[in-house]
Amino acid sequence: MLTLIWNKKRQHFLLFLELFVSFLVLFAVFTMLVFNYDNFRTPRGFEYQRILTVTASLRLPAGTPNDSATLLSEQLKRSLKSMSGVAEVSYVGSNSPYMMSSMSDQITYNNISAQPESYQADDDYARTVQATMVRGRWYSRFDAASGRRPVVINEALAEKFFGTGDPLGKVLPGDRQIIGVVKNMKDKGDYAEISPGIFHRTDSGFHDKFLVKLTAGAAPSAESQIYKTIMRHLPGSSTEIEKLEDKRVARNRLALIPVILMLVISGFLVLNVALGIYGVVWYSVNKRRSEIGLRKAVGATAGGITRQILGEVLVLTTLPLLLGIILAVQFPVLRLFDLPAATYMIAILLAAAFLYLLVTLCALYPGRQAAKIYPAVALHED
């Protein structure tokens, strides 16, 4: 069988190339799907239901004292927390959950470098999003008198810097002392990879971004009441209120765009390959009618003929598939794109299985038609 295929290598060259490229495209698609699925299965680490994200931009008069700006933010927060239907209020930075903004911080500790996401959040953030503390505690107003800047890191950063050791009390560059470790939070979307993160206590001054958590029984008018309260404290401000649930949906849709594009592209390619395989097998069967008729005349069964056709196609598929696997294996070996090796290996298996299934289905009908050839008719035609 291999000799027969090798002798027809020129005729099969384009099909070889299509199968090789198809495997690589399928490998890329399944890598993306496996990566996103693994991320989706990872626990979110916080709650987003009944939370509003608010931006209240206000240009303060020039020369406004910092104490006055701080007092303005504190008064607004107290008024919001005293409202019916409001459970918690927390001032945050521009890279709060599901926002498109991102802020990183280059940190080197014990010759280990990391670039964690750098968050600004106040004392009530953990309660607002119901974050889970793994070690230590979240910072509070009592940390304002501390000689060092209190910070909370997530599990990913703790593992990178300290492994299984205890990070509490350790001091990072910038005189930042770790007082707690929070559970990893997927705040960039359900399909986003967990990355190292560090939380800093918000400084004094005016804060224009905050989260408002509503109670379970909050009235539908709670959002409009919040807006009125903000405008009463910050007249002339530009205020925007959005549901965190809507921000999550938008972020997830954005993450799925490249996946959908790859699926569409691979779909067209797979369709062309399927048509090519079907055409090649059908043409081969018609060209070999006399051979097939002779084989049946000397005792070959219908099942044997079908298995022969399928076997030839599977062998034809295996040759370019092996070349594709050799190339795909270089990704985990060379640690390209910094993805887990298991992700690549699963993608290789899925791509190979899908390609074998595709060619089997494409060759099955021509193979069955070949098995129905009558020896007398085939030999007479010849």
Side-chain angles (χ1 to χ4, degrees):
M1 188 180 297
L2 288 174
T3 303
L4 179 63
I5 294 174
W6 177 255
N7 292 335
K8 297 182 179 180
K9 56 183 180 296
R10 290 189 177 181
Q11 300 177 25
H12 297 320
F13 174 74
L14 289 179
L15 186 59
F16 271 47
L17 185 61
E18 282 186 349
L19 289 170
F20 175 73
V21 174
S22 296
F23 173 79
L24 294 181
V25 172
L26 288 172
F27 168 67
V29 170
F30 279 116
T31 298
M32 192 176 296
L33 290 176
V34 172
F35 175 73
N36 281 279
Y37 177 69
D38 286 342
N39 291 336
F40 182 78
R41 290 194 310 159
T42 304
R44 187 181 300 109
F46 72 102
E47 296 297 329
Y48 63 88
Q49 293 90 348
R50 303 194 312 276
I51 295 181
L52 303 175
T53 175
V54 183
T55 301
S57 302
L58 178 65
R59 185 182 296 275
L60 297 177
T64 301
N66 188 63
D67 291 343
S68 299
T70 302
L71 181 61
L72 184 62
S73 293
E74 291 177 349
Q75 289 175 341
L76 174 59
K77 184 174 181 178
R78 283 196 296 268
S79 295
L80 290 173
K81 290 189 71 172
S82 65
M83 292 177 56
S84 175
V86 174
E88 293 289 348
V89 179
S90 173
Y91 285 113
V92 294
S94 59
N95 58 339
S96 59
Y98 304 130
M99 299 297 288
M100 298 300 176
S101 177
S102 179
M103 292 188 296
S104 59
D105 188 2
Q106 185 68 40
I107 302 177
T108 301
Y109 183 84
N110 283 346
N111 296 322
I112 301 175
S113 295
Q115 195 170 359
E117 184 76 7
S118 180
Y119 301 93
Q120 294 288 333
D122 70 3
D123 303 340
D124 299 318
Y125 181 76
R127 287 194 299 271
T128 302
V129 300
Q130 297 182 26
T132 303
M133 297 302 299
V134 179
R135 292 182 178 180
R137 60 179 177 84
W138 195 263
Y139 40 71
S140 67
R141 59 188 178 88
F142 299 106
D143 292 305
S146 174
R148 292 190 170 98
R149 295 175 60 193
V151 294
V152 174
I153 62 176
N154 66 359
E155 293 175 298
L157 187 59
E159 181 180 358
K160 187 172 184 63
F161 279 159
F162 307 101
T164 58
D166 187 2
L168 298 183
K170 302 297 190 298
V171 179
L172 300 176
D175 204 27
R176 292 173 287 186
Q177 187 172 34
I178 301 172
I179 64 171
V181 178
V182 68
K183 189 174 182 179
N184 292 327
M185 291 185 278
K186 293 195 302 182
D187 59 336
K188 304 302 182 185
D190 293 343
Y191 304 102
E193 185 180 15
I194 293 294
S195 60
I198 182 169
F199 294 84
H200 301 86
R201 191 169 184 264
T202 51
D203 298 324
S204 58
F206 177 72
H207 305 290
D208 60 355
K209 298 183 185 298
F210 49 94
L211 303 178
V212 179
K213 183 172 181 61
L214 304 178
T215 60
S221 60
E223 188 173 328
S224 62
Q225 294 299 322
I226 290 172
Y227 179 81
K228 292 177 181 178
T229 301
I230 294 173
M231 297 308 294
R232 187 171 66 250
H233 283 267
L234 306 175
S237 64
S238 176
T239 302
E240 182 180 6
I241 302 177
E242 298 176 278
K243 293 181 179 179
L244 207 57
E245 296 179 27
D246 296 337
K247 302 291 289 184
R248 169 180 169 267
V249 171
R251 194 68 190 255
N252 287 342
R253 286 177 177 173
L254 184 64
L256 290 177
I257 288 177
V259 178
I260 295 173
L261 289 176
M262 286 294 292
L263 287 174
V264 171
I265 295 172
S266 62
F268 280 113
L269 182 61
V270 167
L271 178 61
N272 288 327
V273 171
L275 293 175
I277 293 172
Y278 182 85
V280 167
V281 177
W282 187 264
Y283 177 78
S284 176
V285 168
N286 286 329
K287 291 285 288 183
R288 298 164 59 189
R289 287 177 64 85
S290 58
E291 174 196 335
I292 295 172
L294 182 60
R295 288 175 58 84
K296 292 195 69 176
V298 297
T301 63
I305 297 295
T306 302
R307 285 193 294 271
Q308 180 189 356
I309 300 297
L310 291 177
E312 291 176 2
V313 175
L314 292 176
V315 171
L316 181 67
T317 304
T318 300
L319 299 179
L321 191 62
L322 288 175
L323 295 177
I325 291 176
I326 292 173
L327 182 60
V329 167
Q330 304 310 308
F331 283 77
V333 171
L334 300 177
R335 297 184 179 181
L336 300 177
F337 302 110
D338 199 26
L339 295 181
T343 299
Y344 288 123
M345 301 311 295
I346 294 174
I348 290 174
L349 294 176
L350 290 175
F354 183 88
L355 205 55
Y356 274 129
L357 177 62
L358 177 67
V359 298
T360 300
L361 293 176
C362 292
L364 192 59
Y365 179 75
R368 286 182 174 178
Q369 291 300 107
K372 294 179 181 179
I373 295 176
Y374 291 100
V377 175
L379 294 174
H380 177 73
E381 290 176 353
D382 189 56

